[in-house]
C-alpha cells in the first residue's frame, strides 16, 4: 500500500511521494479528499452510534477501544494507493490487526517480553509479503507512517489531560521507527529518486553559498542569505517550519538566529544554555538526530512559541563541523507522527552541508571585519594627522632618523626635507635659550626608563621668527626595556600663550574692579562641599580670616527669617535646567557694628554631565540702599495716606455746597446772572467731587486694597445710554453718538462702570476738536461685551501710549477741561476694568483717530 491517498501534500512530500503516489511529482496546491481530511481531523470515539470524548490515559486504551475503526480506515487509505491495485482485502490488511494488539501490549508492559518478539515477527512477515507483492521501500515505510498518524489522530484534538502521557506516546513512535528501520534494512539504502532529490537541494544550497562566500566585491552578508538557506532545508524535509540557533563564542549558549515557515516569528526569545534540560540542549549534546513526538505535551522542554505554533512533531540535529559546536537546526510538522529513517539520513546530509557553508561564511565575515577595522584604523590615522593642528614626528632611536608629518609645513613653514631626516635638524630648530634644557630633558627621560616626555619651548619658523610649542612623546621599549622608538606630537601654542597673558591682565583688572565695587567673592563646589570666601567676603559676613567656612556655617550665619528663602534660592540654582542663576538678599548675624545690615549675593552654577560642579558669585553690602528705599517707601505711604485723609474730609464741605446750590437753584425769582453763577458753582463742585473720588480710588489702589466692586445684574446698553445722556447735558454743544448691538446683559458694578463710561466720554470730548462727534459703541459677544469710545483729532503721541494708564499722566494737547484734571481718570478706568476681570486697550493714529476698547466678561472669572 501507499500512504499518499488522503494525506496532506506537505506530509506526502515528506515521505518522498509525488502525485497519486508516483515518486518525483509534487502535489503542491492539491487538496486531499474531504472524507479523508475528516478522518484525520476527528478522534475515533464511537460508542453506541454517537461520537463523544472519553478520558483515556494510555495508547493501549485508545487502540483497543477503536480497534475496528482503525482497521477500517487503514484498509480505506491502503486501497487508494497505486501499489494496492488488484489486492484482496486480506492482502491489504495483512498483519495489521494483530500488529495493533501487539502495540497495545507494549504500551502496557513496555519494550520487553513476548510482545516484542511478536512485533518483530509480524514486521518481518509484513515486510516479506510486501516485497513479494512488488512494494518499494518508500511504500512500506509509508504504511507505518499511516499507522502512527491514524493512532495519534485518536487523541490529537483532545485536551492534554485526556491524552496519553508523553512517555507512552514516545514509546509508540519508537516502536514504529524500529519497524521502519527494519524496512530500510530489508531494502538497501537510498533509492535513485532519493539521490536525485538530494543532489537537487544540495545544488540549491551550493548556489546560495556562492553568493554568501563569493569574492570580496560580490559577497552577500551571511544574515541576508541565512533565511534562504534555511528555507531550502525546510522545503527539502517537507516541513512546515525550521529553526536555527548558533552557538556563542563560548559554546555555552545557543543564540536564536533564524526561523522560517510557521516559525517565521521567532519562537525562542532568549538564549538557550547548552547544559539545560531543553530539547534544543539535547540536540546540542547528541551525535544523532533526535525526534520529539509531540511538542505540545513536552512542557517546558520546548519554547512556548513552538507549542503555540501548531507544529507537533520535531526532528533536529546539531551543527558540528571539525568537532566543535556551531549550533542546532530543527524542523517541525503539524501532525504527531514518527520520522522515517530516510528523513533522518537526509537531514544529516543537509545539516552537514549547511554547517560547512555557515562556518566558511562566518570565517570570511570575521576576515572582512578585521580588514575593515584595519582599513578604518589606517584611514583614521591618515585623516587625523591631516586634520589636527599637531605636527606628528616619529624618531627611530636606533638610527636617530626622524620622520615628520605634513603639518610641519602648515604650522612652521618647513618642508619635511628642509628639516632633514636626522635628529640634529630638530635640535637646530630649537631656540638657543631653550635648546640645552630640552635636549637634556628628552634624553634624561629616555635613559631613566620613563614612558612619556613633555615640555614647552620655542621652535624656529621658516620666516625666522620663533613660535611657542608644547611637545609630548611616547617612548617605545623592547622586551629588555631598551628604548627603540619615540613617537610624538608638537602643537603651536603661541596664540594660547598670548591669550593666557591677556587673561592674566583681565583677571588683574577684574580684581581691581571687584575691590573698587567693594564686592566679596565666593566659590562653592557642590560635589565636594568645599566653600571658599575671599578676604572681603569674610569681612562682609563679620568673620575673621582664621574661621572655617562651610555651607552649613553660611546658613547658620543668616537671619532666621531669611535662612529658608536663601537656601531655597541656592537649591534652585543648582538644579539642572534652572539656568544656574542665583540672586538673594539676606541679613547676616555675625556683623558686630550697630544697625541692621543687608547683603545681596548673586552667582551662577556651572554644569557638567548633568550635575552642578561649580557655583561662584559675589556678595555686596546693600544696607544703605535698603535704608534709603525703606525711607522712600514710608514717605510715599504717608503721602498717599495724607491724600486719602484730606480727600475724604473734603467731601463733607463739598456735599454742603452741592446741597445749598441745589436749594438756591430751585428759587423762582433768580436773575439770569444769579442762575449762571449758581450753575458755575455747581459744575465746579461736581468737578471737585470727581477729583476727590479719583484721589480716593487712587489711594485704595496704591495702598494695596484695590478698587472694590459689587456685582449686580444690569444691561450695559442701558447704562451706556444713561451716562451718555448725562454727558450730553453737561456738554450741550457736543454730539455724542451711541450705537448698540447684541446682548448687553451681565453681572457688573453699575456705579463703577458709570465711572469708566464718564471718564472715557469726557476724555474723548476733551481731546477732540469742537464740533466733531464722539462715538460710543457697545456690542455683545459670546461671554463678553465690548465697549468702544472713539474720537477724532490729534493722535496720542507714541511716546505717551505705553504710559497712558499710569497715574498723573495727561496728554500735552488737552483742552481747557482736561487741563484741570489731575491725571487719574485713565488709571482709575484701568483698575476698575481689571477688577471686573476685563481689559482695556487704546489705538491712536492720524488717519483713524483715537479708540479706547474695553472688554468685560459677563460673569466673574
Amino acid at each position: 500500500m501507499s500512504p499518499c491517498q488522503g494525506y496532506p501534500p506537505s506530509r506526502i512530500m515528506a515521505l518522498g511521494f509525488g502525485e497519486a503516489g508516483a515518486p518525483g511529482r509534487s502535489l503542491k496546491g492539491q487538496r486531499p479528499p474531504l472524507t479523508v481530511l475528516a478522518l484525520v481531523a476527528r478522534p475515533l470515539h464511537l460508542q453506541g452510534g454517537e461520537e463523544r470524548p472519553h478520558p483515556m490515559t494510555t495508547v493501549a486504551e485508545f487502540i483497543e477501544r477503536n480497534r475496528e475503526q482503525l482497521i477500517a480506515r487503514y484498509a480505506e487509505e491502503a486501497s487508494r494507493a497505486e501499489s494496492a491495485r488488484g489486492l484482496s482485502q486480506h492482502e491489504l490488511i495483512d498483519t495489521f490487526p494483530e500488529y495493533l494488539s501487539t502495540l497495545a501490549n507494549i504500551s502496557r508492559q513496555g519494550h520487553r517480553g513476548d510482545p516484542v518478539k511478536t512485533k518483530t515477527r509480524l514486521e518481518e512477515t509484513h515486510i516479506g509479503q510486501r516485497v513479494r507483492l512488488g512494494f518499494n521501500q518508500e511504500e512500506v515505510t509509508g504504511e507505518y507512517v499511516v499507522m502512527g498518524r491514524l493512532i495519534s489522530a485518536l487523541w490529537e484534538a483532545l485536551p492534554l489531560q485526556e491524552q496519553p502521557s508523553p512517555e507512552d506516546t514516545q514509546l509508540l513512535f519508537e516502536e514504529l521507527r524500529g519497524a521502519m528501520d527494519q524496512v530500510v534494512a530489508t531494502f538497501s539504502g537510498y533509492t535513485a529518486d532519493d539521490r536525485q532529490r538530494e543532489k537537487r537541494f544540495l545544488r540549491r544550497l551550493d548556489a546560495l553559498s556562492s553568493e554568501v562566500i563569493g569574492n570580496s566585491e560580490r559577497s552577500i552578508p551571511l544574515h541576508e542569505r541565512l533565511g534562504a538557506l534555511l528555507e531550502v532545508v525546510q522545503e527539502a524535509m517537507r516541513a512546515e517550519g525550521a529553526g536555527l540557533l548558533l552557538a556563542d563564542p563560548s559554546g555555552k549558549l545557543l543564540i536564536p538566529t533564524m526561523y522560517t515557515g510557521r516559525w517565521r516569528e521567532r519562537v525562542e526569545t532568549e538564549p538557550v544554555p547548552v547544559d539545560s534540560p531543553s530539547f534544543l540542549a539535547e540536540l546540542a549534546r547528541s551525535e544523532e538526530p533526535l525526534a520529539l513526538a509531540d511538542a505540545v505535551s513536552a512542557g517546558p522542554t520546548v519554547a512556548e512559541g513552538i507549542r503555540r505554533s501548531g507544529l507537533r512533531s520535531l526532528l533536529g540535529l546539531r551543527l558540528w563541523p571539525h568537532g566543535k559546536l556551531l549550533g542546532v537546526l530543527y524542523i517541525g510538522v503539524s501532525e504527531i507522527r514518527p520520522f522515517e529513517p530516510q528523513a533522518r539520513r537526509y537531514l544529516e546530509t543537509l545539516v552537514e552541508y549547511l554547517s560547512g557553508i555557515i562556518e566558511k561564511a562566518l570565517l570570511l565575515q570575521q576576515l572582512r571585519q578585521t580588514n575593515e577595522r584595519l582599513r578604518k584604523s589606517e584611514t583614521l590615522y591618515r585623516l587625523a594627522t591631516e586634520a589636527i593642528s599637531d605636527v606628528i614626528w616619529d624618531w627611530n632611536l636606533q638610527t636617530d632618523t626622524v620622520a615628520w608629518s605634513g603639518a610641519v609645513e602648515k604650522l612652521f613653514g618647513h618642508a619635511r626635507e628642509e628639516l632633514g631626516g636626522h635628529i640634529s635638524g630638530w635640535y637646530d630648530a630649537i631656540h638657543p635659550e631653550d635648546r640645552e634644557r630640552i635636549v637634556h630633558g628628552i634624553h634624561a627621560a629616555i635613559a631613566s626608563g620613563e614612558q612619556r616626555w613633555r615640555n614647552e619651548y620655542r621652535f624656529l619658523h621658516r620666516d625666522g621668527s620663533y613660535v611657542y610649542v608644547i611637545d609630548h612623546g611616547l617612548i617605545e621599549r623592547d622586551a629588555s626595556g631598551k628604548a627603540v622608538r619615540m613617537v610624538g606630537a608638537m602643537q603651536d601654542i603661541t596664540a594660547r600663550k598670548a591669550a593666557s597673558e591677556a587673561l592674566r591682565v583681565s583677571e588683574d583688572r577684574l580684581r581691581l574692579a571687584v575691590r573698587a565695587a567693594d564686592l566679596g567673592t565666593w566659590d562653592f563646589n557642590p560635589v565636594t562641599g568645599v566653600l571658599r570666601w575671599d578676604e572681603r567676603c569674610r569681612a562682609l559676613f563679620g568673620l575673621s580670616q582664621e574661621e572655617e567656612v562651610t555651607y552649613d556655617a553660611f546658613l547658620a550665619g543668616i537671619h532666621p527669617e531669611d535662612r529658608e528663602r536663601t537656601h531655597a534660592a541656592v537649591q534652585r540654582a543648582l538644579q539642572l535646567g534652572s539656568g544656574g542663576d542665583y540672586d538673594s538678599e539676606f541679613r547676616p548675624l555675625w556683623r558686630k557694628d550697630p544697625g541692621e545690615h543687608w547683603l545681596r549675593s548673586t552667582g551662577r552654577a556651572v554644569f557638567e554631565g548633568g550635575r552642578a560642579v561649580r557655583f561662584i558669585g559675589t556678595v555686596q553690602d546693600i544696607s544703605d540702599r535698603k535704608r534709603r528705599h525703606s525711607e522712600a517707601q514710608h514717605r510715599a505711604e504717608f503721602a498717599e495716606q495724607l491724600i486719602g485723609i484730606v480727600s475724604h474730609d473734603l467731601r463733607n464741605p463739598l456735599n454742603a455746597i452741592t446741597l445749598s446750590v441745589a436749594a438756591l437753584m430751585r428759587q423762582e425769582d433768580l436773575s439770569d446772572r444769579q442762575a449762571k453763577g449758581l450753575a458755575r458753582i455747581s459744575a465746579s463742585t461736581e468737578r471737585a467731587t470727581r477729583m476727590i473720588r479719583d484721589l480716593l480710588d487712587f489711594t485704595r489702589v496704591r495702598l494695596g486694597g484695590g478698587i472694590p466692586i459689587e456685582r449686580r445684574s444690569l444691561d450695559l446698553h442701558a447704562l451706556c445710554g444713561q451716562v451718555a445722556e448725562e454727558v450730553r447735558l453737561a456738554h450741550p454743544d457736543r454730539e455724542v453718538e451711541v450705537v448698540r448691538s447684541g446682548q448687553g446683559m451681565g453681572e457688573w458694578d453699575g456705579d463703577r462702570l458709570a465711572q469708566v463710561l464718564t471718564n472715557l466720554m469726557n476724555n474723548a470730548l476733551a481731546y477732540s476738536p469742537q464740533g466733531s462727534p464722539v462715538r460710543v459703541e457697545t456690542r455683545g459677544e459670546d461671554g463678553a461685551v465690548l465697549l468702544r469710545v472713539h474720537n477724532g483729532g490729534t493722535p496720542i503721541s507714541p511716546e505717551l501710549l505705553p504710559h497712558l494708564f499710569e497715574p498723573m499722566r495727561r496728554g500735552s494737547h488737552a483742552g481747557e477741561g482736561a487741563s484741570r484734571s489731575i491725571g487719574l481718570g485713565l488709571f482709575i478706568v484701568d483698575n476698575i476694568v481689571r477688577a471686573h476681570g476685563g481689559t482695556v486697550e487704546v489705538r491712536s493714529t492720524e488717519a483713524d483717530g483715537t479708540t479706547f476698547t474695553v472688554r468685560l466678561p459677563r460673569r466673574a472669572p
Side-chain angles (χ1 to χ4, degrees):
M1 63 167 283
S2 169
C4 301
Q5 299 297 326
Y7 203 36
S10 61
R11 291 295 158 266
I12 296 172
M13 295 298 291
L15 294 172
F17 286 84
E19 185 177 2
R25 297 179 63 188
S26 171
L27 287 181
K28 185 175 183 181
Q30 292 191 10
R31 186 175 181 180
L34 187 59
T35 57
V36 178
L37 285 176
L39 290 174
V40 174
R42 288 187 305 177
L44 302 176
H45 299 151
L46 303 176
Q47 289 187 359
E50 66 175 347
E51 295 186 21
R52 59 189 180 90
H54 293 277
M56 301 179 183
T57 58
T58 65
V59 172
E61 291 180 68
F62 278 97
I63 292 175
E64 290 171 352
R65 294 187 185 186
N66 300 278
R67 188 173 184 277
E68 297 304 319
Q69 288 83 357
L70 285 171
I71 294 172
R73 291 186 180 179
Y74 178 81
E76 181 183 357
E77 290 203 25
S79 67
R80 294 194 186 99
E82 183 179 355
S83 57
R85 291 179 181 177
L87 296 182
S88 65
Q89 184 75 4
H90 174 73
E91 289 174 321
L92 281 173
I93 298 174
D94 193 32
T95 60
F96 183 63
E98 188 177 357
Y99 195 74
L100 283 176
S101 300
T102 305
L103 291 175
N105 290 333
I106 291 175
S107 172
R108 286 197 182 90
Q109 302 176 24
H111 189 77
R112 61 183 182 273
D114 291 336
V116 176
K117 295 179 181 179
T118 302
K119 174 179 174 291
T120 303
R121 176 180 58 78
L122 292 173
E123 289 169 353
E124 291 174 350
T125 300
H126 178 73
I127 295 170
Q129 191 257 12
R130 289 305 190 240
V131 170
R132 288 191 296 275
L133 291 175
F135 281 61
N136 61 30
Q137 174 182 308
E138 292 79 9
E139 293 166 340
V140 180
T141 55
E143 288 180 315
Y144 288 103
V145 172
V146 171
M147 292 180 193
R149 177 168 57 81
L150 290 176
I151 294 171
S152 65
L154 297 174
W155 63 75
E156 199 170 26
L158 294 178
L160 285 177
Q161 63 268 22
E162 298 180 21
Q163 298 183 15
S165 67
E167 294 79 11
D168 201 4
T169 306
Q170 188 71 18
L171 178 61
L172 169 67
F173 284 101
E174 285 177 358
E175 297 301 320
L176 292 174
R177 187 181 68 183
M180 289 187 283
D181 288 341
Q182 183 65 29
V183 174
V184 174
T186 302
F187 294 85
S188 54
Y190 274 5
T191 65
D193 288 341
D194 275 335
R195 289 193 292 272
Q196 291 303 108
R197 180 164 160 264
E198 179 181 285
K199 290 178 183 178
R200 183 168 65 252
F201 283 103
L202 291 180
R203 186 171 64 250
R204 288 174 59 184
L205 288 176
D206 190 61
L208 291 172
S209 70
S210 299
E211 295 180 8
V212 173
I213 298 173
N215 55 45
S216 58
E217 288 79 20
R218 294 183 56 255
S219 59
I220 299 173
L222 174 63
H223 67 273
E224 294 184 11
R225 302 304 294 165
L226 200 53
L229 289 166
L230 201 60
E231 286 173 353
V232 171
V233 175
Q234 176 187 322
E235 183 182 349
M237 296 301 299
R238 279 102 175 190
E240 294 164 83
L244 174 68
L245 294 87
L246 295 179
D248 73 336
S250 70
K252 296 180 179 180
L253 291 175
L254 296 172
I255 309 300
T257 305
M258 183 61 65
Y259 297 88
T260 60
R262 294 266 288 274
W263 293 339
R264 189 166 299 278
E265 297 296 330
R266 178 176 294 192
V267 292
E268 277 93 16
T269 58
E270 299 293 336
V272 179
V274 172
D275 58 356
S276 68
S278 68
F279 172 67
L280 296 180
E282 289 184 26
L283 288 180
R285 298 192 295 265
S286 174
E287 296 180 3
E288 301 293 331
L290 292 181
L292 187 63
D294 187 2
V296 173
S297 62
T301 58
V302 296
E304 184 180 358
I306 297 177
R307 298 197 298 271
R308 291 183 175 180
S309 69
L311 302 190
R312 307 293 290 269
S313 295
L314 309 180
L315 178 66
L317 183 64
R318 69 182 181 182
L319 284 68
W320 190 261
H322 308 299
K324 182 180 179 181
L325 179 65
L326 180 61
V328 297
L329 182 147
Y330 65 108
I331 62 168
V333 296
S334 58
E335 293 116 349
I336 301 177
R337 68 172 180 85
F339 291 94
E340 55 271 50
Q342 300 99 307
R344 294 168 177 271
R345 187 181 304 174
Y346 199 23
L347 181 64
E348 288 180 313
T349 301
L350 292 170
V351 168
E352 182 179 359
Y353 202 79
L354 183 64
S355 298
I357 294 173
I358 293 177
E359 184 184 35
K360 290 178 183 178
L362 290 176
L363 290 174
L364 184 62
Q365 182 174 293
Q366 292 175 6
L367 178 61
R368 290 189 183 118
Q369 289 174 349
T370 301
N371 290 336
E372 180 64 15
R373 284 195 297 268
L374 180 61
R375 185 189 64 80
K376 288 182 177 180
S377 176
E378 292 175 347
T379 303
L380 181 62
Y381 175 77
R382 178 177 55 81
L383 293 176
T385 55
E386 292 177 0
I388 63 176
S389 59
D390 293 4
V391 174
I392 307 301
W393 49 265
D394 191 341
W395 179 10
N396 187 327
L397 298 176
Q398 309 290 326
T399 62
D400 270 345
T401 56
V402 179
W404 299 86
S405 68
V408 72
E409 183 172 2
K410 179 181 177 182
L411 289 184
F412 308 126
H414 298 288
R416 281 181 281 188
E417 56 273 12
E418 290 178 353
L419 289 174
H422 195 267
I423 191 65
S424 59
W426 179 20
Y427 295 161
D428 292 342
I430 298 174
H431 193 285
E433 296 178 2
D434 302 332
R435 188 176 301 148
E436 182 178 355
R437 173 176 59 86
I438 297 303
V439 173
H440 178 270
I442 197 169
H443 281 283
I446 294 171
S448 62
E450 296 180 9
Q451 298 297 319
R452 296 180 179 274
W453 166 83
R454 182 180 183 278
N455 220 319
E456 294 183 14
Y457 56 92
R458 287 165 287 179
F459 192 79
L460 181 65
H461 195 279
R462 195 171 187 274
D463 62 7
S465 64
Y466 282 91
V467 296
Y468 283 93
V469 300
I470 184 171
D471 205 349
H472 45 88
L474 182 65
I475 304 169
E476 181 182 342
R477 300 181 184 274
D478 60 17
S480 64
K482 179 183 178 182
V484 295
R485 186 184 182 193
M486 191 171 182
V487 178
M490 183 191 304
Q491 184 180 14
D492 185 352
I493 60 169
T494 305
R496 188 191 307 173
K497 279 278 189 181
S500 178
E501 179 61 21
L503 179 61
R504 185 190 63 78
V505 174
S506 176
E507 288 176 346
D508 290 342
R509 291 174 179 169
L510 178 60
R511 279 191 292 271
L512 291 174
V514 168
R515 191 175 302 166
D518 202 20
L519 296 175
T521 61
W522 49 265
D523 190 341
F524 178 53
N525 187 326
V527 178
T528 63
V530 175
L531 176 62
R532 295 186 177 88
W533 286 355
D534 70 356
E535 182 179 349
R536 179 55 183 162
C537 187
R538 287 174 173 272
L540 289 173
F541 275 89
L543 289 180
S544 67
Q545 301 302 312
E546 295 77 21
E547 291 181 81
E548 182 182 2
V549 178
T550 65
Y551 181 72
D552 290 339
F554 157 69
L555 289 178
I558 295 177
H559 195 284
E561 295 178 2
D562 307 330
R563 190 174 298 151
E564 184 176 350
R565 173 175 49 81
T566 301
H567 177 63
V570 171
Q571 296 306 310
R572 279 195 304 272
L574 295 178
Q575 289 179 357
L576 186 65
S578 66
D581 291 330
Y582 162 72
D583 192 340
S584 181
E585 296 180 359
F586 48 83
R587 289 162 287 181
L589 296 177
W590 297 323
R591 294 281 291 269
K592 304 302 182 184
D593 38 336
E596 185 177 64
H597 294 277
W598 280 88
L599 299 180
R600 181 188 180 191
S601 180
T602 60
R604 178 179 288 272
V606 179
F607 296 88
E608 287 182 7
R611 65 173 180 173
V613 295
R614 194 178 184 191
F615 191 29
I616 57 177
T618 62
V619 178
Q620 184 181 19
D621 190 336
I622 59 170
S623 303
D624 290 342
R625 188 176 68 194
K626 277 282 189 180
R627 280 192 289 271
R628 290 194 298 271
H629 176 74
S630 179
E631 292 170 358
Q633 187 174 7
H634 287 318
R635 287 195 298 269
E637 290 176 356
F638 174 75
E640 290 169 356
Q641 291 173 356
L642 181 62
I643 291 173
I645 293 170
V646 171
S647 59
H648 182 272
D649 291 345
L650 285 175
R651 295 175 69 179
N652 291 331
L654 286 174
N655 286 337
I657 295 172
T658 301
L659 292 174
S660 300
V661 170
L664 291 172
M665 292 184 70
R666 285 195 294 270
Q667 295 182 9
E668 297 179 357
D669 56 347
L670 293 176
S671 65
D672 290 341
R673 182 177 181 183
Q674 289 173 333
K676 289 181 179 180
L678 289 173
R680 282 195 296 272
I681 294 172
S682 177
S684 298
T685 305
E686 178 62 27
R687 187 162 53 252
T689 300
R690 287 199 305 271
M691 292 171 64
I692 290 172
R693 183 181 60 194
D694 288 348
L695 283 171
L696 286 172
D697 286 340
F698 170 72
T699 304
R700 289 192 186 99
V701 173
R702 293 302 293 264
L703 293 180
I707 294 180
I709 62 172
E710 295 182 6
R711 292 180 180 270
R712 293 187 301 275
S713 179
L714 63 90
D715 188 339
L716 189 62
H717 294 329
L719 179 65
C720 184
Q722 177 184 341
V723 173
E725 186 59 33
E726 294 174 358
V727 172
R728 288 192 192 100
L729 292 174
H731 301 273
D733 57 335
R734 299 296 300 273
E735 178 184 354
V736 179
E737 177 187 1
V738 177
V739 180
R740 63 187 68 181
S741 62
Q743 176 59 252
M745 293 301 297
E747 293 182 357
W748 302 293
D749 188 323
D751 293 337
R752 288 300 185 181
L753 291 188
Q755 279 184 259
V756 171
L757 289 163
T758 302
N759 276 325
L760 291 179
M761 291 183 195
N762 285 331
N763 196 63
L765 291 169
Y767 289 94
S768 59
Q770 288 290 335
S772 65
V774 170
R775 189 173 190 269
V776 182
E777 177 187 0
T778 52
R779 187 178 73 205
E781 296 183 343
D782 290 341
V785 178
L786 291 185
L787 164 67
R788 287 194 177 95
V789 179
H790 172 268
N791 64 273
T794 305
I796 302 170
S797 65
E799 296 80 10
L800 183 60
L801 276 175
H803 309 286
L804 200 60
F805 295 100
E806 296 176 4
M808 312 302 179
R809 292 279 185 170
R810 298 192 298 122
S812 58
H813 62 288
E816 180 182 354
S819 63
R820 294 174 183 157
S821 169
I822 58 175
L824 293 177
L826 293 180
F827 174 77
I828 301 301
V829 166
D830 181 55
N831 278 273
I832 292 174
V833 171
R834 284 195 287 112
H836 282 83
T839 59
V840 57
E841 298 175 352
V842 60
R843 186 173 183 272
S844 184
T845 64
E846 186 74 36
D848 299 329
T850 300
T851 302
F852 283 84
T853 302
V854 176
R855 186 181 187 278
L856 294 169
R858 295 182 188 271
R859 302 288 184 271

